[in-house]
Amino acid sequence: MSELPKLFSKIDELKPVFIDRLSKAVAIPSVSAEPERRPKVVEMANYLSEELKKLGTIVEFRHMGKQDGFEDLQLPPIVLGKLGNDPAKKNILIYGHYDVQPAALEDGWATEPFELVEKDDVLYGRGSTDDKGPVIGWINTLQAYQEAGIDIPVNLIFCFEGMEEYGSDGLDELIEIEKDKWFKDTDAVCISDNYWLGTTHPALTYGLRGVSYYQITVSGPGADLHSGVFGGTAAEPMTDLVHLFSKLVTSDGTIQIPGVMDMVAPVTEEEDALYEKIHFSVEELQNALGSKTNLFDDKKRTLMGRWRYPSLSIHGVEGAFSTTGAKTVIPAKVKGKFSIRTVPNIEMDQLDRCVIDYIDQEAKKLNTKNTVKAECLHAGNWWLSSPNHPNYVAAAKATKEVWNVEPDYTREGGSIPVALSFEKALNKNVLLLPMGRGDDGAHSINEKLNVPNYIQGSKTLGAYLFYVAAEL
Amino acid sequence: MSELPKLFSKIDELKPVFIDRLSKAVAIPSVSAEPERRPKVVEMANYLSEELKKLGTIVEFRHMGKQDGFEDLQLPPIVLGKLGNDPAKKNILIYGHYDVQPAALEDGWATEPFELVEKDDVLYGRGSTDDKGPVIGWINTLQAYQEAGIDIPVNLIFCFEGMEEYGSDGLDELIEIEKDKWFKDTDAVCISDNYWLGTTHPALTYGLRGVSYYQITVSGPGADLHSGVFGGTAAEPMTDLVHLFSKLVTSDGTIQIPGVMDMVAPVTEEEDALYEKIHFSVEELQNALGSKTNLFDDKKRTLMGRWRYPSLSIHGVEGAFSTTGAKTVIPAKVKGKFSIRTVPNIEMDQLDRCVIDYIDQEAKKLNTKNTVKAECLHAGNWWLSSPNHPNYVAAAKATKEVWNVEPDYTREGGSIPVALSFEKALNKNVLLLPMGRGDDGAHSINEKLNVPNYIQGSKTLGAYLFYVAAEL
Ligand SMILES: [Zn+2]
Ligand SMILES: [Zn+2]
Ligand SMILES: [Zn+2]
Ligand SMILES: [Zn+2]
């Protein structure tokens, strides 16, 4: 362990270089959702490739064809890399993404979004925390290893994609192709693409909820109707839909669909004991909401609501009146959208059956002449890892070394599908090791990464490589 | 009465002239909703003015200023006219509108919408039935009176507006200004701007429903939320809204708001007996709906549902996800829209109190931390005339004379606010005397007016003038 102080002081020394490297990355507006910026996404792939090659990494691009739904739009390359091939060392697969969310000054940014601006020890800019900061963080720590003359204790396998913010088009296919090729020697996976729970305490993340998305279509007349002429003589699809919607979940968040809660894994004593230690408060939730409309007033139940219980959200209605004003139309066909966040041990197929059967039954009770059809539009499974796995133990030791505290063991309410994809394809442990804070505003205006998170975060990644070599 | 056969044969003789006159009117795309077509609306006012002047009418334009919500868009003129000033004669006020709904070939029209096309005894074109056909019909019948050498038995007062299809901007103000001036000698009002109930039998219309439009605003967090991160920890406005919506009306159309049905006038034996005679079938409703999703299977209950009972329609939600696809947003603030069609003896203010108190109570039961606010966005009253008034007796005799049947006495489910405006301002009886058929498609593609409705309809207007002179 005597090498780590040397590594850390090299990282401190290189801080201006690291900030400059992130500046150059943020200056490339690699927005995957905007076809006209696709050349910028490719430019960012090239920049990353050059930085990796400077370390001695072997880099290959994988081209996954055209983007779905576009005539002639090539997907950006998936950047694969290998650094080190010592058969005596373990092989760590690093995933990250080099594309970013859209951003424009006029959305309300205080500074130019594609210019990294440092102010009061905070780095502002699109991609600073999601996910250019962490991706560049890997390059930083490896540069520090080399310049400090420390042997990198593992072989590294890189997989950086450029479509994460737009559905990871092509990634699952690539993982399937490369699982026995580029990725075949992988011993463990590390992903740095999520956030601390709050703003003060580092975290390791070992679980994610899944999501199953449903649509209820209610159709009646052949075309929209005038409510003056037809109101009171025709069965109205919107009336049926709101009755069905009202049967799904109560205002206190309780899911009303029979069978769903029965599938949820019970809380063990061990799990119950975990929550007390976690650094989080209901006030932090209220700050994030911008209101005091939290469902629960205690920390434990709030955290459980976020990551270990399912939730049901009604998102909206397609086909009804939806703008300002006062239109008196009777919509002929409405599509109600809702989704359920899923947790262990909900089975996706079984959930679909519960949901669709229930809606069919409730629709029958309405005794309507309109036609009701419920269906699942898409589903992604939940993911749960083991925080006792050596991969997590290594990350915990690294966190302790850098931050001088035990990490919070957290789960996320949202989904990061790639975690599950790697785990299933490679059958190796996947670690989520966040760099940024819970208030970084990943997809919002004024996205930021605090300088300590960037620099100490780069140290944490370096220390993780050190410990994982020993633990695995 | 001996003069009417002479009038009718002159009308038959002038049929080609009348169709040509309507052709010229339809060829002017006087779409009031499209600012760039405002000059065409003015052109139509000039055309109408010229045709009226050829009859000897004194015409004056009234300019009502700029259109609300536009920097520099003048309202089209309201065309006032007077034909005849014999103090021994009664004065009949004729209202109509010379503007039309938008139309474009690419919406699915079989023919050019602004070209009157005659096919199989039907005249197709935008405005043919709404409301250029009836407006030109008055000019036709007066021309026939004059060419046949028959003295017109009443003085005529005209009021033709050019903003009816876009909210009648300026009209109520004009009626207020002119009620003791241009309109001061009015003895009765006749409006030809609605339709027969079905396709075979002429009608007189003596009632209209009103409409009160409501909005329920539910607000919670400061901004839209990601359902992965916040689902299960935050009170969701959309959940509250669908519960409130579900308390308003059942799938069979029954309004659930206490107090509303108590205000509805009971069905008298006399009214009950009226429905049997009316020419209408549930099949006609099904044809109009393009489905068999009618609420009631008998004619009487269907007609009562359309015009003598209130109905409640849920129109949609502003602020929620409303397009195709599967977005997982939790909307921060949603505005639910619904309206109630009102009938005698519902009091608008009392209705607002019933609705808002009820929603407030139901919101309390939800026990939500979100904020709920219900309000009335706008309201227009119902209108009910007396079919026994001499104005109606005259129209019934005219109908009998031309069509050789008793008219159906109908009410409309929708609103025609000008009927109420004239009645209130002038305190004179208002008659709705439709020219077109129930399937004319006034606001749809392929709007049409059957040639018999146009020609016999012009005769009916002429006969009405004859009889109303005698009856009033
Ligand atoms: Zn990300
Ligand atoms: Zn992201
Ligand atoms: Zn009209
Ligand atoms: Zn109209």
Side-chain angles (χ1 to χ4, degrees):
Chain A
M1 308 295 120
S2 58
E3 303 276 48
L4 284 180
K6 225 167 94 189
L7 178 72
F8 292 172
S9 63
K10 180 56 78 178
I11 288 177
D12 287 330
E13 179 193 326
L14 288 170
K15 178 176 158 181
V17 176
F18 294 171
I19 291 176
D20 182 62
R21 183 177 282 132
L22 185 56
S23 285
K24 291 197 173 101
V26 167
I28 304 169
S30 53
V31 179
S32 48
E34 295 170 1
E36 66 279 13
R37 274 176 157 157
R38 187 57 47 89
K40 292 292 168 187
V41 186
V42 175
E43 186 183 328
M44 182 62 205
N46 290 327
Y47 174 73
L48 196 56
S49 166
E50 292 311 309
E51 293 299 301
L52 287 165
K53 283 179 184 167
K54 283 183 201 163
L55 300 170
T57 312
I58 298 162
V59 177
E60 290 188 13
F61 281 5
R62 291 290 184 272
H63 298 280
M64 305 308 292
K66 286 181 188 152
Q67 185 170 338
D68 281 352
F70 289 85
E71 268 294 290
D72 200 27
L73 186 64
Q74 294 293 330
L75 290 168
I78 295 174
V79 179
L80 300 181
K82 277 196 181 174
L83 179 62
N85 60 359
D86 185 341
K89 292 178 181 173
K90 299 290 181 185
N91 300 285
I92 303 300
L93 172 57
I94 306 298
Y95 163 87
H97 64 90
Y98 62 82
D99 63 319
V100 296
Q101 284 278 323
L105 193 59
E106 54 271 30
D107 294 342
W109 283 72
T111 59
E112 185 54 53
F114 296 108
E115 187 182 313
L116 192 73
V117 177
E118 186 176 350
K119 202 188 154 202
D120 299 334
D121 228 24
V122 176
L123 300 163
Y124 294 93
R126 177 55 89 219
S128 56
T129 196
D130 180 22
D131 186 34
K132 288 178 174 174
V135 166
I136 301 294
W138 287 109
I139 293 169
N140 295 343
T141 200
L142 294 168
Q143 181 192 9
Y145 263 104
Q146 293 177 348
E147 293 199 10
I150 309 169
D151 182 51
I152 299 172
V154 296
N155 302 317
L156 290 156
I157 303 169
F158 298 105
C159 175
F160 296 128
E161 69 157 322
M163 285 299 290
E164 198 276 342
E165 301 292 7
Y166 203 73
S168 289
D169 218 346
L171 184 67
D172 278 354
E173 193 191 339
L174 172 110
I175 294 173
E176 210 41 50
I177 293 167
E178 299 292 350
K179 67 179 180 183
D180 300 319
K181 296 180 184 169
W182 198 269
F183 303 147
K184 85 167 184 311
D185 297 321
T186 301
D187 293 298
V189 181
C190 181
I191 299 175
S192 187
D193 188 23
N194 70 311
Y195 310 93
W196 296 355
L197 186 58
T199 59
T200 58
H201 205 87
L204 305 181
T205 304
Y206 68 98
L208 300 164
R209 292 198 291 188
V211 61
S212 291
Y213 203 102
Y214 298 96
Q215 178 168 284
I216 307 174
T217 304
V218 188
S219 39
D224 286 358
L225 303 174
H226 187 286
S227 66
V229 181
F230 294 101
T233 67
E236 302 191 13
M238 192 68 181
T239 302
D240 296 332
L241 179 62
V242 301
H243 279 277
L244 295 172
F245 266 166
S246 77
K247 305 291 181 185
L248 299 175
V249 61
T250 56
S251 283
D252 66 3
T254 308
I255 295 174
Q256 301 292 90
I257 303 165
V260 175
M261 294 308 291
D262 303 340
M263 287 189 275
V264 176
V267 182
T268 61
E269 270 182 49
E270 190 193 346
E271 184 195 328
D272 198 74
L274 286 176
Y275 295 98
E276 196 44 55
K277 286 183 284 188
I278 290 171
H279 297 78
F280 182 74
S281 74
V282 170
E283 287 67 38
E284 281 177 275
L285 172 62
Q286 289 174 337
N287 290 342
L289 293 177
S291 67
K292 295 187 189 280
T293 57
N294 45 299
L295 284 176
F296 308 106
D297 290 324
D298 70 298
K299 180 174 86 171
K300 182 159 87 176
R301 188 60 188 80
T302 296
L303 289 174
M304 285 181 161
R306 175 165 171 165
W307 69 41
R308 73 101 53 229
Y309 282 125
S311 62
L312 191 155
S313 296
I314 299 169
H315 305 298
V317 183
E318 179 184 342
F321 178 48
S322 63
T323 57
T324 52
K327 212 172 154 190
T328 57
V329 70
I330 296 174
K333 183 179 188 175
V334 287
K335 295 177 178 181
K337 322 266 182 129
F338 70 97
S339 67
I340 297 176
R341 294 284 161 175
T342 57
V343 297
N345 298 313
I346 291 177
E347 289 257 14
M348 290 193 292
D349 291 349
Q350 175 85 25
L351 179 67
D352 289 355
R353 275 194 298 277
C354 288
V355 169
I356 292 166
D357 287 355
Y358 177 67
I359 292 170
D360 287 349
Q361 280 167 33
E362 292 298 319
K364 267 195 204 96
K365 287 187 202 164
L366 292 180
N367 202 22
T368 177
K369 287 184 181 170
N370 293 318
T371 307
V372 175
K373 186 190 163 202
E375 67 197 307
C376 178
L377 292 189
H378 71 73
N381 215 344
W382 48 266
W383 169 80
L384 191 67
S385 186
S386 158
N388 301 320
H389 188 279
N391 199 22
Y392 279 81
V393 173
K397 288 189 176 175
T399 302
K400 185 81 200 287
E401 184 80 25
V402 175
W403 297 96
N404 212 23
V405 292
E406 296 293 333
D408 281 339
Y409 288 91
T410 66
R411 287 156 71 173
E412 289 266 353
S415 60
I416 306 180
V418 68
L420 189 60
S421 299
F422 276 123
E423 190 181 86
K424 278 174 79 170
L426 307 178
N427 201 23
K428 297 293 172 184
N429 183 272
V430 176
L431 161 72
L432 302 188
L433 177 53
M435 175 180 275
R437 301 182 184 184
D439 67 348
D440 278 355
H443 290 192
S444 308
I445 57 167
N446 304 320
E447 178 182 343
K448 59 92 177 166
L449 178 64
N450 293 61
V451 174
N453 284 61
Y454 185 48
I455 300 302
Q456 302 301 84
S458 294
K459 288 179 190 170
T460 306
L461 300 180
Y464 160 71
L465 296 181
F466 207 92
Y467 285 109
V468 79
E471 293 290 333
L472 275 184
Chain B
M1 309 298 120
S2 59
E3 303 274 51
L4 284 180
K6 227 167 95 190
L7 178 73
F8 293 173
S9 65
K10 179 55 79 177
I11 287 176
D12 286 329
E13 180 194 324
L14 288 170
K15 176 176 158 181
V17 176
F18 294 170
I19 290 177
D20 181 61
R21 182 176 281 133
L22 184 56
S23 284
K24 290 195 174 105
V26 167
I28 304 169
S30 54
V31 179
S32 48
E34 296 169 0
E36 67 278 15
R37 273 176 159 156
R38 188 57 47 88
K40 292 291 167 186
V41 186
V42 175
E43 185 182 330
M44 183 62 206
N46 290 326
Y47 175 73
L48 196 55
S49 166
E50 292 311 309
E51 293 298 302
L52 287 165
K53 284 177 184 167
K54 284 182 200 162
L55 300 169
T57 311
I58 297 162
V59 177
E60 290 187 14
F61 280 5
R62 291 292 184 270
H63 298 281
M64 305 308 293
K66 286 179 187 153
Q67 185 169 338
D68 280 352
F70 290 85
E71 268 296 291
D72 199 29
L73 186 64
Q74 295 292 330
L75 290 168
I78 295 174
V79 179
L80 300 180
K82 277 195 180 173
L83 180 62
N85 60 358
D86 184 341
K89 290 178 183 173
K90 298 292 181 184
N91 299 285
I92 304 301
L93 171 57
I94 307 297
Y95 162 88
H97 64 90
Y98 62 82
D99 63 320
V100 295
Q101 284 279 323
L105 193 59
E106 53 270 30
D107 294 341
W109 283 72
T111 59
E112 186 54 54
F114 296 108
E115 188 182 312
L116 192 74
V117 176
E118 185 176 350
K119 201 188 156 205
D120 300 334
D121 228 25
V122 177
L123 300 163
Y124 293 94
R126 176 55 89 218
S128 56
T129 196
D130 180 20
D131 188 34
K132 289 177 175 175
V135 166
I136 301 296
W138 288 110
I139 294 169
N140 295 342
T141 200
L142 294 168
Q143 181 190 10
Y145 264 103
Q146 293 177 345
E147 294 200 9
I150 308 168
D151 182 52
I152 299 172
V154 295
N155 302 317
L156 289 155
I157 304 170
F158 298 105
C159 175
F160 295 128
E161 69 158 321
M163 285 300 289
E164 198 275 344
E165 301 292 8
Y166 205 71
S168 288
D169 219 345
L171 184 68
D172 278 355
E173 193 190 339
L174 172 109
I175 293 173
E176 211 42 50
I177 293 168
E178 299 292 349
K179 68 180 180 182
D180 299 318
K181 297 179 186 170
W182 199 269
F183 303 148
K184 85 168 183 316
D185 297 321
T186 301
D187 294 297
V189 180
C190 182
I191 299 174
S192 187
D193 187 24
N194 70 310
Y195 311 93
W196 296 355
L197 185 59
T199 57
T200 58
H201 207 86
L204 305 181
T205 304
Y206 67 99
L208 301 164
R209 291 199 291 188
V211 61
S212 291
Y213 203 102
Y214 298 96
Q215 177 169 285
I216 307 174
T217 303
V218 188
S219 39
D224 286 358
L225 303 174
H226 187 285
S227 66
V229 180
F230 293 101
T233 67
E236 302 190 15
M238 192 67 181
T239 301
D240 297 330
L241 179 62
V242 302
H243 279 277
L244 294 172
F245 266 166
S246 78
K247 305 291 180 185
L248 299 176
V249 61
T250 56
S251 284
D252 66 2
T254 309
I255 295 175
Q256 301 292 90
I257 303 166
V260 175
M261 293 308 290
D262 304 339
M263 289 189 275
V264 176
V267 182
T268 61
E269 268 183 52
E270 189 193 348
E271 184 195 329
D272 198 75
L274 286 176
Y275 295 97
E276 195 46 52
K277 286 184 285 188
I278 291 171
H279 297 78
F280 183 75
S281 73
V282 170
E283 287 67 39
E284 281 177 274
L285 171 62
Q286 290 174 337
N287 289 342
L289 293 177
S291 68
K292 294 186 190 282
T293 57
N294 45 298
L295 285 175
F296 308 106
D297 291 323
D298 69 299
K299 179 174 84 173
K300 181 159 87 176
R301 187 61 188 79
T302 295
L303 289 174
M304 285 181 161
R306 175 167 172 163
W307 68 41
R308 73 103 52 228
Y309 283 124
S311 62
L312 190 155
S313 296
I314 298 169
H315 305 298
V317 183
E318 180 185 341
F321 177 50
S322 63
T323 57
T324 52
K327 213 172 152 189
T328 58
V329 70
I330 297 174
K333 183 180 187 173
V334 287
K335 295 177 178 180
K337 323 266 181 130
F338 69 97
S339 68
I340 298 176
R341 294 285 163 175
T342 58
V343 296
N345 298 312
I346 290 177
E347 289 257 15
M348 289 193 293
D349 291 350
Q350 175 86 24
L351 180 67
D352 289 354
R353 275 194 298 278
C354 288
V355 170
I356 292 166
D357 287 355
Y358 177 67
I359 291 170
D360 287 349
Q361 280 166 34
E362 291 298 319
K364 267 195 204 97
K365 288 188 202 164
L366 292 179
N367 202 22
T368 178
K369 289 185 180 170
N370 293 319
T371 307
V372 175
K373 186 190 165 205
E375 66 198 309
C376 178
L377 292 189
H378 71 74
N381 216 346
W382 48 266
W383 168 80
L384 191 65
S385 187
S386 157
N388 301 319
H389 188 279
N391 200 22
Y392 279 80
V393 172
K397 287 189 178 175
T399 302
K400 186 82 198 287
E401 185 80 24
V402 175
W403 296 96
N404 212 23
V405 293
E406 296 292 336
D408 281 339
Y409 288 91
T410 66
R411 288 156 70 173
E412 289 268 353
S415 60
I416 305 179
V418 66
L420 189 59
S421 299
F422 277 123
E423 190 182 85
K424 278 175 78 168
L426 306 180
N427 200 23
K428 298 292 172 186
N429 183 271
V430 175
L431 161 71
L432 301 188
L433 177 53
M435 175 180 275
R437 302 182 183 182
D439 67 348
D440 278 356
H443 290 193
S444 309
I445 56 168
N446 304 320
E447 178 182 345
K448 58 92 179 168
L449 178 64
N450 293 63
V451 174
N453 285 59
Y454 185 48
I455 300 303
Q456 303 300 83
S458 295
K459 288 179 190 171
T460 306
L461 300 179
Y464 159 72
L465 297 181
F466 206 92
Y467 285 107
V468 80
E471 294 289 335
L472 274 185

